[in-house]
Amino acid sequence: MAHDGVYPAHASVVHDGVHPAHASVVHDGDPAHRSATAGEPAGSGPTAEELGGRARAPFGVYVHVPFCATRCGYCDFNTYTPDELDAGSSMRSWLEGLRTELGRAAAVLGDPPRAETVFVGGGTPSLLGADGLGAVLQAVRDAFGLAAGAEVSTESNPESTSAEFFAGIRDAGYTRVSLGMQSAAEHVLRVLDRQHTPGRAVTAAREARAAGFEHVNLDLIYGTPGERKEDLRASLEAVLAAEVDHVSAYALTVEDGTALARRVRRGELAPPDEDTLAEDYELIDDVLDEAGMGWYEVSNWAAGEDARCRHNLGYWHDGDWWGAGPGAHSHVGGIRWWNVKHPARYGALLGAGLLPVQDGERLTEEDRGTERVMLRLRTSEGLPTGELGDAGLRAASEAAAGGLLDPAAFDGGRAVLTRRGRLLADGVVCRLLE
C-alpha cells in the first residue's frame, strides 16, 4: 500500500517521512531513558533534553500499521503477514504499544503543539477495521490533541473496506482516505500480486465519497512488466470515473529482496524501461491535467489546493512530526530518529519502559539546506533561489536555459521544474547541489 509521499523522481513509495540523510549518526541513548533492562538494550537516538520544546507547528503525527493479509510481490515496506508473526505480535498488543509510545512522546516533547495532520499508513491500516482505526485516532487525541480543522488520513486497501467501514472511520474523525488501486488491468494486478479485483478500488472510492469523505486519493503504479499504454489509459479513465480529488502515481521500482526482484533476476519478467516510464509519466500528466488535476509534487496531482495532502507537504517543507509504530521515522527541529522494525522488539522496548528507538541523527544547517533543495524542488511552488549558493545559482540558470527549470519562475526568484525537469528531477537536484 502506498503512502502519498515519494522522493526520487521514479522511486519506491515512502511510508513514514524518511528523508535522505546527510548527517552523522547519534549514539547517545533513548529519548525517554538512558538505561534498559538486561537483555533489552535501549535504542539510540536524541535525548529528552534535546527534544523538549522543539516541536513546531504545523506538527504532524504518523502512525505505522505493520500488518498485511498478504505480501505484494513488489513490496519491501516494513510489513508482516500473519504467518510471519508470533502470538505476542498481535494487533491488540501493537495498539497497546502505540498508546504507550504516543503518551511518552508527548511527555518527551514537553507540551508539543496539537497535531494539525495525522497519517495512518502501513501495511494495511484498514485491516484494523473502523473500530481499530477509531482507537488509533483516539490515542493520538489523548497524547497530543487535534488542532481545529486537522487533516486526518488513512491508507486503505480496497479489498478490506466496505461502505460500513468508511462510514465508521468518518464518524471517528477521519477526513481523508488514500486507496491503493495500482491498476485497472487484471493482468497487471496479478504481476503485482494485488488481491483486489480491477473494479474494487473505484467502487471503494465511491463508497468513501458517499460516506462523506470530500478528499479521496487513488494510488497508481505504472511501468509494471506487461502493462500496455491502453492499460494505463484505462486505469486513468477509471480514476476519473471515481471522481476523486487526488491521484498519486509512482513508477514501479524493483527492490532487492522482493519476489518481483527474484522474478526479474530469473528472467521471468523484464525490468521497467526508463524510456517507457517517462512516456507513461507524460501520459498521466496529460490526462490528469486535462481533467483539472494539477501536479503539486512530482508524483502527486490534486483538483485544487484544498485537495493537497497537508501531511505530506509537511515532509516536503521540512516540518516536524512524530512517527509512531514499528519502523516509523520522526523529525523534530533538525533531529531525526527511527524506531526498531519488528513488532515484537517494538513491544519489548516499550514494556521495558523505553521508547523503541533504533537510531538517530542530528542534521547540521548544511544538511538541512541540502534537504530543502532536494525536497522543495519536487513541489510545484519550487525553491526560492536565495536558498542556493553562487554555484547553485549558476547551475539553476543553465537548467532554466536548458528547459529543466521554468524561465519565468527563475526570473521571479524561484526554481520550479518544468515537466521535462520533473522527469530528470534527481539530476537537476544534483546539479544545483554541486
Side-chain angles (χ1 to χ4, degrees):
M1 185 65 195
H3 192 289
D4 294 344
V6 62
Y7 299 113
H10 296 296
S12 59
V13 179
V14 174
H15 273 272
D16 48 14
V18 182
H19 289 185
H22 302 281
S24 58
V25 174
V26 180
H27 291 289
D28 58 0
D30 181 289
H33 298 277
R34 289 291 191 173
S35 61
T37 58
E40 293 290 356
S44 300
T47 66
E49 289 77 13
E50 290 174 306
L51 292 177
R54 295 191 62 152
R56 308 158 297 166
F59 179 74
V61 175
Y62 173 79
V63 175
H64 187 70
V65 181
F67 307 111
C68 281
T70 61
R71 181 174 295 280
C72 298
Y74 62 92
C75 177
D76 71 338
F77 303 146
N78 187 44
T79 63
Y80 303 85
T81 59
D83 60 352
E84 295 172 333
L85 294 171
D86 58 29
S89 302
S90 66
M91 290 185 187
R92 176 178 292 183
S93 63
W94 167 83
L95 182 56
E96 291 171 355
L98 178 72
R99 291 191 183 102
T100 300
E101 183 186 359
L102 290 172
R104 290 181 188 162
V108 164
L109 292 176
D111 193 28
R114 291 175 178 267
E116 296 195 23
T117 65
V118 178
F119 198 106
V120 184
T124 309
S126 45
L127 287 179
L128 300 176
D131 289 345
L133 283 171
V136 168
L137 184 53
Q138 189 58 51
V140 175
R141 285 195 184 99
D142 291 343
F144 295 105
L146 294 181
E151 175 193 86
V152 183
S153 305
T154 184
E155 293 177 338
S156 297
N157 276 359
E159 71 273 17
S160 54
T161 63
S162 65
E164 292 75 19
F165 167 83
F166 291 117
I169 63 171
R170 188 72 184 92
D171 288 344
Y174 285 81
T175 66
R176 187 174 179 278
V177 172
S178 181
L179 292 158
M181 176 179 172
Q182 319 314 359
S183 176
E186 187 172 3
H187 69 96
V188 173
L189 294 176
R190 282 200 303 270
V191 172
L192 296 173
D193 292 326
R194 297 292 292 181
Q195 299 301 306
H196 63 83
T197 57
R200 175 57 201 158
V202 171
T203 299
R206 289 171 174 161
E207 289 172 349
R209 290 182 58 80
F213 282 96
E214 182 180 356
H215 303 305
V216 180
N217 171 68
L218 283 172
D219 283 335
L220 292 176
I221 290 178
Y222 59 95
T224 301
E227 182 180 54
R228 303 160 299 185
K229 286 292 181 289
E230 54 263 39
D231 297 324
L232 179 57
R233 189 174 291 278
S235 296
L236 291 166
E237 290 172 355
V239 165
L240 297 179
E243 298 183 334
V244 297
D245 67 344
H246 192 286
V247 177
S248 300
Y250 307 111
L252 179 70
T253 54
V254 180
E255 302 289 353
D256 290 341
T258 62
L260 178 64
R262 291 189 289 273
R263 295 185 69 186
V264 169
R265 189 167 57 249
R266 291 193 298 262
E268 297 174 16
L269 296 172
D273 175 76
E274 289 296 321
D275 290 338
T276 300
L277 292 176
E279 293 171 2
D280 288 348
Y281 184 89
E282 291 176 332
L283 174 60
I284 291 166
D285 193 49
D286 283 341
V287 171
L288 294 181
D289 183 68
E290 185 177 346
M293 284 194 177
W295 79 283
Y296 72 100
E297 191 275 340
V298 169
S299 299
N300 291 274
W301 291 258
E305 190 167 342
D306 64 340
R308 298 176 178 182
C309 180
R310 288 159 47 195
H311 186 82
N312 284 341
L313 284 168
Y315 296 154
W316 299 320
H317 291 167
D318 191 32
D320 286 344
W321 74 92
W322 190 285
H329 286 60
S330 302
H331 173 265
V332 173
I335 300 174
R336 181 172 302 130
W337 65 98
W338 47 95
N339 286 349
V340 295
K341 289 187 173 182
H342 198 279
R345 177 70 173 142
Y346 172 79
L349 285 172
L350 287 165
L354 306 170
L355 282 175
V357 177
Q358 177 68 45
D359 226 328
E361 59 197 2
R362 298 184 189 90
L363 303 179
T364 66
E365 284 305 311
E366 181 180 359
D367 298 330
R368 298 185 76 178
T370 296
E371 291 199 355
R372 281 194 292 272
V373 174
M374 295 176 71
L375 297 173
R376 295 196 181 198
L377 191 64
R378 295 184 58 83
T379 67
S380 59
E381 62 189 42
L383 173 80
T385 53
E387 297 271 352
L388 300 170
D390 291 342
L393 277 173
R394 288 194 295 272
S397 178
E398 293 171 1
L404 299 175
L405 294 177
D406 182 273
F410 182 75
D411 290 343
R414 301 195 73 82
V416 177
L417 293 170
T418 61
R419 187 162 77 173
R420 180 165 171 263
R422 279 183 268 160
L423 292 170
L424 301 169
D426 289 351
V428 177
V429 167
C430 289
R431 290 167 66 174
L432 300 190
L433 291 174
E434 286 178 351

